[in-house]
Amino acid sequence: MPTPPIAHPRRWTALALIALAQFMVIMDTSIIGVALPEMQGDLGFSQENLSWVFNAYVVAFGGLLLLGGRLSDLFGAKRLFTVGWIVLAVGSLTAGIAGEVWVELSGRALQGIGAALIAPSALTLLMMLFGSRPAELAKAFALYGAAAPAGGTAGVFLGGVITQYASWPWVFYINIPIALIVLAITPSVMPAAPARRGSVDLAGAVTVTAGLATAVYAVVRAPETGWGSVRTWLVLLAGVALIAAFIAIQSKRKEPLMRLAIWRAPNLAGANIAQLLTAAAWIPMWFFLNLYLQQVLGLGAFASGSALLPMTVAIMIMMIVLAPRLIARFSPKPLIVAGLFTLAVGMVWLSFARADGTFWVDVLPASLLAAVGMSLAFIPSLGTALSSARPEEGGLAAGIVNTSYQVGSALGLAAMTALAAAHGARQLDNPTALTNGFSAAFLGAAALAAAGALASLLTLRSSPTTSASQAAEEAETPATA
């Protein structure tokens, strides 16, 4: 039996920082929700422009992920991870001290740029630390995956607590001490990777960033401008045209930003489709479930966050405890298909929620089933997307899969928002109409999850994984830092 590669001695401490990065990137999308009314009053946002406190972050994040992945490959994941945290801290400070709308939006965009550098480099570092140790890699993915729902729920909690007991700027300032701690620890625990020779494809970077940002802009604005608006479709077509130009540029470059042949890697496309549709289903479900708890059942922000805790705990247990064992015993394909199908069933169940319902009957059981489905699908599809690429293209693969998830989130949420509005969700003073709108969104998200299950069944190849006995032996080995 070949001797396994020498493990990085501080890999578990490094994993904690990587999971923290995922936690923070997701938390920054949810922490501002409760603070928005106070920000609107202090900074003078109009009702129409208030959503851009969220959208400025999402557009910058989604638009720059591919560039972040390429820079990670060229200049080293550790270096980009560090730069990303610096940019995130500067953006957080800017957003916190903002006294005008344009300063606030600039700070949020800077936060998104920092996140776009952190996310792909964090996944590349994870693969560097654990890629040669299959059983530990499954555990690492589980911890990384569990950080996302934890970040989302923590954002709801912290946003409510900070806004109530401090002031809204602190929803941004909280990032600064965390960034300083990460920056202090990173040099001693993260593996160093030498910079590779190569150039940055500036034309490709500009077109793909502009294309993705324009497409995401069109989608997130569509609920306000209308899906039937000429403006919406012109902006969306402009985004598609820019992405098409990017593909044309990549086909002619010697050192492209994204080597198009990477898509020939077995399962890369299928795994990214699974990630995109998982996000397109999951994020709207989480969003509208939170609205149902607050606007229909009458729970406050803090109580609503508490009501989401069982779902979050279930996801963390599934991802950390069960997912590694299931991945070791089965190939990723059946887990992804079963997970997306289970997620669809859970959301169909949620669609039966009543205007006079209760948390215990209308929310808890269905949300737990959906959480199980998300847990089964997320980790195997993420791992498959990353492991399908060549090691030297780990940053690119991480950028692609993060882009798939973020674009799926934006597309799914925008489409389900329009669907909910069309079925009554605009009538804020009518619990029955609101419930009908939310139920339509749950059914639409269920359809996306079911489409993901079908797409995974048709596009993914079954592949052998670590044997159950080998995984069991390795899983029993103590994981020490």
Short mmCIF file of all heavy atoms in Angstrom, two decimals, residues 95-140:
data_model
loop_
_atom_site.label_atom_id
_atom_site.label_comp_id
_atom_site.label_asym_id
_atom_site.label_seq_id
_atom_site.Cartn_x
_atom_site.Cartn_y
_atom_site.Cartn_z
N ALA A 95 -18.71 50.88 4.80
CA ALA A 95 -20.16 50.76 4.94
C ALA A 95 -20.63 51.23 6.30
O ALA A 95 -21.72 51.79 6.44
CB ALA A 95 -20.58 49.30 4.70
N GLY A 96 -19.81 51.01 7.33
CA GLY A 96 -20.20 51.39 8.68
C GLY A 96 -20.18 52.89 8.91
O GLY A 96 -21.04 53.43 9.61
N ILE A 97 -19.17 53.57 8.34
CA ILE A 97 -19.04 55.02 8.59
C ILE A 97 -19.81 55.86 7.58
O ILE A 97 -19.83 57.08 7.67
CB ILE A 97 -17.56 55.45 8.57
CG1 ILE A 97 -16.95 55.26 7.18
CG2 ILE A 97 -16.77 54.71 9.64
CD1 ILE A 97 -15.53 55.78 7.05
N ALA A 98 -20.46 55.18 6.62
CA ALA A 98 -21.13 55.91 5.53
C ALA A 98 -22.17 56.89 6.06
O ALA A 98 -22.95 56.58 6.96
CB ALA A 98 -21.81 54.91 4.59
N GLY A 99 -22.14 58.09 5.48
CA GLY A 99 -23.15 59.09 5.80
C GLY A 99 -24.02 59.42 4.62
O GLY A 99 -24.96 60.21 4.75
N GLU A 100 -23.71 58.85 3.48
CA GLU A 100 -24.48 59.07 2.27
C GLU A 100 -24.72 57.76 1.55
O GLU A 100 -24.00 56.78 1.75
CB GLU A 100 -23.74 60.04 1.33
CG GLU A 100 -23.52 61.43 1.93
CD GLU A 100 -22.84 62.35 0.94
OE1 GLU A 100 -23.08 62.21 -0.27
OE2 GLU A 100 -22.06 63.21 1.38
N VAL A 101 -25.72 57.76 0.67
CA VAL A 101 -26.12 56.54 -0.02
C VAL A 101 -24.97 55.98 -0.85
O VAL A 101 -24.67 54.78 -0.79
CB VAL A 101 -27.35 56.81 -0.92
CG1 VAL A 101 -27.59 55.63 -1.87
CG2 VAL A 101 -28.59 57.06 -0.06
N TRP A 102 -24.29 56.81 -1.63
CA TRP A 102 -23.26 56.30 -2.54
C TRP A 102 -22.08 55.70 -1.77
O TRP A 102 -21.46 54.74 -2.23
CB TRP A 102 -22.79 57.39 -3.49
CG TRP A 102 -21.95 58.48 -2.87
CD1 TRP A 102 -22.38 59.65 -2.32
CD2 TRP A 102 -20.52 58.48 -2.73
NE1 TRP A 102 -21.32 60.39 -1.85
CE2 TRP A 102 -20.17 59.70 -2.10
CE3 TRP A 102 -19.52 57.58 -3.08
CZ2 TRP A 102 -18.85 60.03 -1.81
CZ3 TRP A 102 -18.20 57.92 -2.79
CH2 TRP A 102 -17.88 59.12 -2.16
N VAL A 103 -21.78 56.25 -0.59
CA VAL A 103 -20.70 55.69 0.22
C VAL A 103 -21.10 54.32 0.76
O VAL A 103 -20.30 53.38 0.76
CB VAL A 103 -20.34 56.64 1.38
CG1 VAL A 103 -19.23 56.04 2.25
CG2 VAL A 103 -19.91 58.00 0.84
N GLU A 104 -22.35 54.21 1.20
CA GLU A 104 -22.84 52.92 1.70
C GLU A 104 -22.77 51.85 0.62
O GLU A 104 -22.28 50.74 0.85
CB GLU A 104 -24.27 53.07 2.20
CG GLU A 104 -24.88 51.79 2.75
CD GLU A 104 -24.13 51.28 3.97
OE1 GLU A 104 -23.74 52.11 4.82
OE2 GLU A 104 -23.92 50.06 4.04
N LEU A 105 -23.24 52.18 -0.58
CA LEU A 105 -23.24 51.20 -1.66
C LEU A 105 -21.81 50.86 -2.10
O LEU A 105 -21.52 49.72 -2.46
CB LEU A 105 -24.05 51.71 -2.85
CG LEU A 105 -25.54 51.93 -2.57
CD1 LEU A 105 -26.27 52.37 -3.85
CD2 LEU A 105 -26.19 50.68 -1.99
N SER A 106 -20.90 51.83 -2.05
CA SER A 106 -19.50 51.56 -2.37
C SER A 106 -18.90 50.60 -1.36
O SER A 106 -18.15 49.67 -1.73
CB SER A 106 -18.69 52.87 -2.38
OG SER A 106 -19.17 53.75 -3.37
N GLY A 107 -19.22 50.79 -0.09
CA GLY A 107 -18.72 49.87 0.93
C GLY A 107 -19.24 48.47 0.74
O GLY A 107 -18.50 47.49 0.88
N ARG A 108 -20.52 48.36 0.40
CA ARG A 108 -21.10 47.02 0.17
C ARG A 108 -20.48 46.36 -1.05
O ARG A 108 -20.22 45.15 -1.05
CB ARG A 108 -22.61 47.14 0.00
CG ARG A 108 -23.36 47.38 1.29
CD ARG A 108 -23.27 46.20 2.23
NE ARG A 108 -24.17 45.11 1.81
CZ ARG A 108 -24.11 43.87 2.29
NH1 ARG A 108 -23.19 43.53 3.15
NH2 ARG A 108 -24.97 42.97 1.88
N ALA A 109 -20.20 47.14 -2.10
CA ALA A 109 -19.55 46.57 -3.28
C ALA A 109 -18.14 46.10 -2.93
O ALA A 109 -17.69 45.03 -3.38
CB ALA A 109 -19.50 47.61 -4.40
N LEU A 110 -17.41 46.88 -2.12
CA LEU A 110 -16.08 46.45 -1.68
C LEU A 110 -16.15 45.15 -0.88
O LEU A 110 -15.29 44.27 -1.02
CB LEU A 110 -15.43 47.54 -0.82
CG LEU A 110 -14.65 48.64 -1.56
CD1 LEU A 110 -14.17 49.69 -0.57
CD2 LEU A 110 -13.46 48.03 -2.31
N GLN A 111 -17.17 45.03 -0.02
CA GLN A 111 -17.35 43.77 0.69
C GLN A 111 -17.55 42.61 -0.29
O GLN A 111 -17.00 41.52 -0.09
CB GLN A 111 -18.57 43.86 1.62
CG GLN A 111 -18.36 44.67 2.87
CD GLN A 111 -19.56 44.58 3.80
OE1 GLN A 111 -20.69 44.87 3.41
NE2 GLN A 111 -19.33 44.17 5.03
N GLY A 112 -18.33 42.84 -1.34
CA GLY A 112 -18.54 41.80 -2.34
C GLY A 112 -17.27 41.44 -3.07
O GLY A 112 -17.02 40.25 -3.36
N ILE A 113 -16.42 42.45 -3.37
CA ILE A 113 -15.14 42.17 -4.02
C ILE A 113 -14.26 41.32 -3.11
O ILE A 113 -13.63 40.35 -3.55
CB ILE A 113 -14.43 43.49 -4.39
CG1 ILE A 113 -15.22 44.23 -5.48
CG2 ILE A 113 -13.00 43.23 -4.87
CD1 ILE A 113 -14.75 45.65 -5.72
N GLY A 114 -14.22 41.68 -1.82
CA GLY A 114 -13.44 40.88 -0.87
C GLY A 114 -13.94 39.45 -0.80
O GLY A 114 -13.15 38.50 -0.79
N ALA A 115 -15.26 39.28 -0.78
CA ALA A 115 -15.83 37.93 -0.74
C ALA A 115 -15.49 37.14 -1.99
O ALA A 115 -15.25 35.93 -1.93
CB ALA A 115 -17.35 38.02 -0.57
N ALA A 116 -15.44 37.82 -3.15
CA ALA A 116 -15.11 37.15 -4.41
C ALA A 116 -13.66 36.69 -4.45
O ALA A 116 -13.32 35.77 -5.20
CB ALA A 116 -15.40 38.08 -5.59
N LEU A 117 -12.79 37.32 -3.68
CA LEU A 117 -11.41 36.86 -3.56
C LEU A 117 -11.28 35.76 -2.51
O LEU A 117 -10.50 34.82 -2.67
CB LEU A 117 -10.49 38.04 -3.19
CG LEU A 117 -10.42 39.20 -4.19
CD1 LEU A 117 -9.52 40.29 -3.65
CD2 LEU A 117 -9.94 38.72 -5.55
N ILE A 118 -12.05 35.87 -1.44
CA ILE A 118 -11.96 34.91 -0.34
C ILE A 118 -12.52 33.55 -0.74
O ILE A 118 -11.90 32.50 -0.49
CB ILE A 118 -12.70 35.44 0.90
CG1 ILE A 118 -11.97 36.64 1.50
CG2 ILE A 118 -12.86 34.35 1.96
CD1 ILE A 118 -12.77 37.37 2.57
N ALA A 119 -13.71 33.53 -1.35
CA ALA A 119 -14.44 32.27 -1.55
C ALA A 119 -13.67 31.25 -2.39
O ALA A 119 -13.49 30.10 -1.97
CB ALA A 119 -15.82 32.55 -2.14
N PRO A 120 -13.21 31.59 -3.60
CA PRO A 120 -12.48 30.58 -4.38
C PRO A 120 -11.13 30.21 -3.79
O PRO A 120 -10.72 29.05 -3.85
CB PRO A 120 -12.33 31.22 -5.76
CG PRO A 120 -12.50 32.67 -5.55
CD PRO A 120 -13.41 32.82 -4.37
N SER A 121 -10.42 31.18 -3.19
CA SER A 121 -9.13 30.85 -2.59
C SER A 121 -9.31 29.95 -1.37
O SER A 121 -8.47 29.07 -1.10
CB SER A 121 -8.37 32.13 -2.22
OG SER A 121 -9.12 32.94 -1.33
N ALA A 122 -10.40 30.14 -0.61
CA ALA A 122 -10.66 29.28 0.54
C ALA A 122 -10.88 27.83 0.11
O ALA A 122 -10.35 26.89 0.72
CB ALA A 122 -11.88 29.79 1.31
N LEU A 123 -11.65 27.64 -0.95
CA LEU A 123 -11.88 26.27 -1.43
C LEU A 123 -10.60 25.66 -2.00
O LEU A 123 -10.35 24.46 -1.84
CB LEU A 123 -12.98 26.28 -2.49
CG LEU A 123 -14.41 26.24 -1.96
CD1 LEU A 123 -15.41 26.38 -3.10
CD2 LEU A 123 -14.68 24.94 -1.20
N THR A 124 -9.78 26.47 -2.66
CA THR A 124 -8.50 25.96 -3.17
C THR A 124 -7.61 25.52 -2.01
O THR A 124 -6.97 24.46 -2.07
CB THR A 124 -7.79 27.05 -3.99
OG1 THR A 124 -8.64 27.46 -5.05
CG2 THR A 124 -6.49 26.53 -4.57
N LEU A 125 -7.56 26.31 -0.95
CA LEU A 125 -6.77 25.94 0.22
C LEU A 125 -7.29 24.65 0.86
O LEU A 125 -6.51 23.80 1.30
CB LEU A 125 -6.78 27.08 1.24
CG LEU A 125 -5.99 28.33 0.84
CD1 LEU A 125 -6.35 29.52 1.74
CD2 LEU A 125 -4.49 28.05 0.91
N LEU A 126 -8.61 24.51 0.89
CA LEU A 126 -9.19 23.27 1.43
C LEU A 126 -8.72 22.06 0.64
O LEU A 126 -8.35 21.03 1.22
CB LEU A 126 -10.72 23.39 1.42
CG LEU A 126 -11.52 22.27 2.09
CD1 LEU A 126 -12.84 22.81 2.63
CD2 LEU A 126 -11.81 21.11 1.15
N MET A 127 -8.73 22.17 -0.68
CA MET A 127 -8.29 21.06 -1.52
C MET A 127 -6.79 20.81 -1.35
O MET A 127 -6.34 19.66 -1.37
CB MET A 127 -8.62 21.34 -2.99
CG MET A 127 -10.10 21.30 -3.31
SD MET A 127 -10.88 19.69 -3.00
CE MET A 127 -10.09 18.67 -4.26
N MET A 128 -6.00 21.84 -1.17
CA MET A 128 -4.57 21.67 -0.94
C MET A 128 -4.31 20.93 0.37
O MET A 128 -3.41 20.09 0.46
CB MET A 128 -3.88 23.03 -0.91
CG MET A 128 -3.80 23.75 -2.24
SD MET A 128 -3.21 25.46 -2.09
CE MET A 128 -1.56 25.17 -1.41
N LEU A 129 -5.10 21.21 1.37
CA LEU A 129 -4.90 20.61 2.69
C LEU A 129 -5.40 19.19 2.77
O LEU A 129 -4.80 18.34 3.45
CB LEU A 129 -5.62 21.46 3.75
CG LEU A 129 -5.00 22.83 4.06
CD1 LEU A 129 -6.00 23.72 4.77
CD2 LEU A 129 -3.75 22.65 4.92
N PHE A 130 -6.51 18.88 2.10
CA PHE A 130 -7.18 17.60 2.31
C PHE A 130 -7.39 16.78 1.04
O PHE A 130 -7.90 15.65 1.12
CB PHE A 130 -8.55 17.83 2.97
CG PHE A 130 -8.48 18.48 4.32
CD1 PHE A 130 -8.66 19.84 4.46
CD2 PHE A 130 -8.21 17.72 5.45
CE1 PHE A 130 -8.58 20.45 5.70
CE2 PHE A 130 -8.13 18.31 6.70
CZ PHE A 130 -8.31 19.69 6.84
N GLY A 131 -7.02 17.31 -0.13
CA GLY A 131 -7.32 16.63 -1.39
C GLY A 131 -6.72 15.25 -1.52
O GLY A 131 -7.28 14.40 -2.21
N SER A 132 -5.60 14.99 -0.87
CA SER A 132 -4.94 13.68 -0.99
C SER A 132 -5.37 12.71 0.11
O SER A 132 -4.84 11.60 0.19
CB SER A 132 -3.42 13.87 -0.94
OG SER A 132 -3.03 14.45 0.29
N ARG A 133 -6.32 13.10 0.95
CA ARG A 133 -6.76 12.26 2.06
C ARG A 133 -8.29 12.16 2.01
O ARG A 133 -9.00 12.99 2.58
CB ARG A 133 -6.29 12.86 3.40
CG ARG A 133 -4.78 13.16 3.41
CD ARG A 133 -4.35 13.87 4.68
NE ARG A 133 -4.32 12.97 5.82
CZ ARG A 133 -3.31 12.17 6.12
NH1 ARG A 133 -2.23 12.16 5.35
NH2 ARG A 133 -3.36 11.39 7.17
N PRO A 134 -8.83 11.16 1.29
CA PRO A 134 -10.27 11.11 0.97
C PRO A 134 -11.19 11.20 2.17
O PRO A 134 -12.17 11.95 2.13
CB PRO A 134 -10.42 9.77 0.24
CG PRO A 134 -9.06 9.50 -0.34
CD PRO A 134 -8.08 10.07 0.64
N ALA A 135 -10.92 10.44 3.22
CA ALA A 135 -11.84 10.46 4.36
C ALA A 135 -11.83 11.82 5.05
O ALA A 135 -12.87 12.35 5.45
CB ALA A 135 -11.48 9.37 5.36
N GLU A 136 -10.64 12.42 5.20
CA GLU A 136 -10.55 13.73 5.82
C GLU A 136 -11.16 14.80 4.91
O GLU A 136 -11.72 15.78 5.40
CB GLU A 136 -9.10 14.07 6.13
CG GLU A 136 -8.53 13.27 7.28
CD GLU A 136 -7.16 13.77 7.72
OE1 GLU A 136 -6.61 14.69 7.07
OE2 GLU A 136 -6.65 13.25 8.72
N LEU A 137 -11.05 14.61 3.60
CA LEU A 137 -11.64 15.56 2.67
C LEU A 137 -13.16 15.60 2.84
O LEU A 137 -13.77 16.67 2.81
CB LEU A 137 -11.29 15.19 1.23
CG LEU A 137 -11.86 16.10 0.14
CD1 LEU A 137 -11.34 17.53 0.28
CD2 LEU A 137 -11.53 15.56 -1.25
N ALA A 138 -13.77 14.44 3.03
CA ALA A 138 -15.22 14.40 3.25
C ALA A 138 -15.60 15.16 4.52
O ALA A 138 -16.58 15.91 4.54
CB ALA A 138 -15.69 12.95 3.34
N LYS A 139 -14.80 15.00 5.59
CA LYS A 139 -15.07 15.73 6.82
C LYS A 139 -14.89 17.23 6.61
O LYS A 139 -15.67 18.04 7.12
CB LYS A 139 -14.12 15.26 7.92
CG LYS A 139 -14.30 13.81 8.36
CD LYS A 139 -13.23 13.45 9.39
CE LYS A 139 -13.28 11.99 9.76
NZ LYS A 139 -12.20 11.61 10.69
N ALA A 140 -13.83 17.59 5.85
CA ALA A 140 -13.56 19.00 5.61
C ALA A 140 -14.71 19.65 4.84
O ALA A 140 -15.15 20.77 5.16
CB ALA A 140 -12.24 19.16 4.86
#
